[in-house]
């Protein structure tokens, strides 16, 4: 009888203590969670920043209490890479970046404060896009293909130049690749961004330009520029009637990506969890619809697959940059 009473008393005590135990458990669990930060090396409002925020809204990470985007521009995005390189490798800080600070900069800068293959761990891509080769009113209307433009450039060597969005950027080296493929000298004219490059193209100050597809869709639809080719392995879903460079006989294939990287020594389990969360977000139809506004498409790869992509792109750009003789200014 006494044992029975004792059991009843203990049970009541447990019931009375249960809310407190649950509260403590929830508190400990909340403290174990942390804010996940996506570090972007460009100012707020730019393309990379906008896509990072679209991704952050759709990501669900078990150990993250919140997911925020932090802008850390500076040194042409190198500052953001340095920041993440030196961050605590606990899975709470990711670099969200376009490809060129990772795959191009190591070949174009004499000295770089980071080694992307050593200091960062690829987590997952989020978006991919391609570039367009465009001509403006300086080029006769009879030029309707990239082959036509190359023939025109051969006949008009003084006008064999093209506008780029920046010295040392991907459009610059796409032009180098095309020049190597055709055997003609083509001079890059560098601008500070895509808008001024397109302005001079439309104004007839330069015959051609190479731009991210997101910058040229509106101008092409209005007829102010003509897009002769895209740089993808396949035609763009946004420009299905425009052939690729490869289709036109020029072995130039360049697809740009935006992806996430963690600091080196981040636990593999955390990398896999973060990669799966990004993959899940990028597979959603809503994410694809949002990206389409910027001429981007979702890109889904596991951490290992993304690491292979990064290594391949890194290796591909080395001979292109070296052949160009270009050295970036610090």
């Amino acid at each position: 009888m006494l044992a029975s009473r004792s059991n009843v008393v203990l049970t009541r005590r447990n019931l009375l203590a249960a809310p407190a135990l649950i509260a403590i458990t929830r508190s400990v669990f909340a403290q174990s969670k942390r804010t996940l930060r996506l570090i972007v090396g460009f100012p707020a409002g730019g393309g990379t920043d906008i896509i990072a925020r679209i991704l952050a809204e759709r990501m669900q990470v078990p150990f993250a209490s919140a997911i925020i985007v932090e802008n850390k521009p500076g040194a042409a995005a190198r500052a953001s890479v340095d920041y993440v390189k030196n961050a605590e490798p606990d899975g709470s800080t990711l670099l969200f970046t376009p490809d060129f600070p990772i795959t191009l900069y190591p070949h174009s800068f004499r000295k770089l404060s980071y080694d992307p293959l050593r200091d960062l761990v690829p987590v997952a891509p989020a978006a991919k896009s391609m570039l367009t080769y465009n001509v403006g009113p300086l080029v006769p209307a009879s030029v309707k293909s990239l082959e036509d433009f190359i023939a025109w450039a051969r006949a008009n060597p003084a006008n064999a130049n093209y506008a780029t969005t920046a010295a040392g950027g991907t459009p610059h080296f796409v032009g180098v690749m095309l020049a190597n493929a055709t055997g003609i000298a083509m001079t890059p004219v560098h601008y500070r961004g895509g808008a001024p490059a397109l302005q001079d193209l439309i104004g007839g100050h330069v015959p051609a330009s190479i731009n991210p597809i997101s910058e040229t869709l509106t101008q092409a639809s209005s007829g102010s520029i003509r897009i002769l080719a895209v740089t993808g392995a396949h035609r763009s879903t946004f420009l299905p009637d425009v052939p690729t460079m490869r289709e036109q006989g020029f072995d130039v294939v360049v697809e740009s990506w935006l992806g996430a990287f963690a600091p080196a020594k981040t636990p593999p389990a955390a990398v896999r969890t973060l990669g799966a969360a990004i993959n899940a977000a990028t597979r959603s139809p809503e994410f694809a619809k949002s990206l389409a506004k910027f001429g981007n498409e979702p890109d889904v790869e596991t951490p290992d697959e993304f690491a292979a992509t990064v290594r391949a792109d890194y290796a591909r750009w080395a001979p292109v940059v070296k052949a160009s003789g270009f050295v970036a200014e610090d």
Side-chain angles (χ1 to χ4, degrees):
M1 195 69 178
L2 287 172
S4 176
R5 287 178 180 173
S6 176
N7 286 339
V8 170
V9 170
L10 287 173
T11 302
R12 286 175 177 172
R13 284 176 180 172
N14 288 342
L15 288 172
L16 290 171
L21 289 172
I22 292 170
I24 291 171
T25 302
R26 285 177 175 171
S27 176
V28 170
F29 184 68
Q31 289 174 13
S32 69
K33 287 196 168 189
R34 51 199 181 275
T35 298
L36 172 61
R37 298 181 300 154
L38 301 183
I39 307 301
V40 173
F42 302 90
T48 302
D49 171 75
I50 292 172
I51 293 176
R53 293 178 191 278
I54 294 171
L55 178 65
E57 289 176 358
R58 287 164 176 78
M59 281 180 66
Q60 294 183 351
V61 181
F63 58 73
S65 57
I67 303 174
I68 64 172
V69 174
E70 286 190 17
N71 303 92
K72 294 191 178 293
R78 287 173 288 159
S80 63
V81 183
D82 277 330
Y83 182 86
V84 173
K85 164 192 168 183
N86 295 316
E88 192 70 27
D90 59 3
S92 66
T93 305
L94 294 180
L95 173 70
F96 190 76
T97 181
D99 50 4
F100 56 85
I102 306 299
T103 59
L104 267 177
Y105 282 3
H107 308 302
S108 59
F109 282 90
R110 285 195 179 94
K111 292 182 179 180
L112 205 59
S113 57
Y114 60 85
D115 180 337
L117 302 184
R118 181 192 64 203
D119 298 329
L120 300 172
V121 178
V123 176
K128 62 183 177 181
S129 63
M130 56 187 75
L131 294 92
T132 59
Y133 200 96
N134 324 292
V135 295
L138 190 60
V139 178
S142 58
V143 173
K144 300 183 182 298
S145 68
L146 194 55
E147 186 176 7
D148 290 344
F149 176 77
I150 297 303
W152 179 83
R154 288 185 192 278
N156 298 273
N159 285 323
N161 50 58
Y162 62 98
T164 80
T165 57
T170 306
H172 174 187
F173 292 115
V174 167
V176 171
M177 294 172 73
L178 183 62
N180 292 341
T182 59
I184 67 171
M186 300 183 70
T187 304
V189 181
H190 302 304
Y191 290 81
R192 292 183 179 272
L198 286 171
Q199 185 177 4
D200 271 11
L201 177 69
I202 294 168
H205 302 292
V206 288
S209 75
I210 302 174
N211 297 75
I213 192 171
S214 59
E215 297 177 348
T216 56
L217 292 174
T218 300
Q219 286 81 359
S221 62
S222 70
S224 56
I225 65 172
R226 304 181 332 260
I227 298 178
L228 302 183
V230 294
T231 64
H234 307 283
R235 295 192 183 197
S236 168
T237 57
F238 307 108
L239 295 168
D241 296 328
V242 177
T244 66
M245 288 189 171
R246 178 175 281 177
E247 281 183 86
Q248 299 184 67
F250 305 101
D251 192 20
V252 177
V253 178
V254 174
E255 293 182 339
S256 298
W257 44 257
L258 288 167
F261 294 79
K265 298 184 180 179
T266 298
V271 172
R272 288 193 295 270
T273 298
L274 290 163
I278 292 173
N279 289 168
T282 56
R283 286 192 179 100
S284 71
E286 294 80 10
F287 186 75
K289 186 176 180 180
S290 297
L291 288 188
K293 299 174 185 177
F294 307 97
N296 280 252
E297 300 177 46
D299 196 4
V300 180
E301 290 183 335
T302 66
D304 288 343
E305 290 168 342
F306 187 37
T309 295
V310 172
R311 288 193 298 269
D313 286 354
Y314 183 99
R316 178 187 59 177
W317 285 119
V320 176
V321 176
K322 184 176 181 179
S324 75
F326 175 79
V327 177
E329 296 180 5
D330 291 329

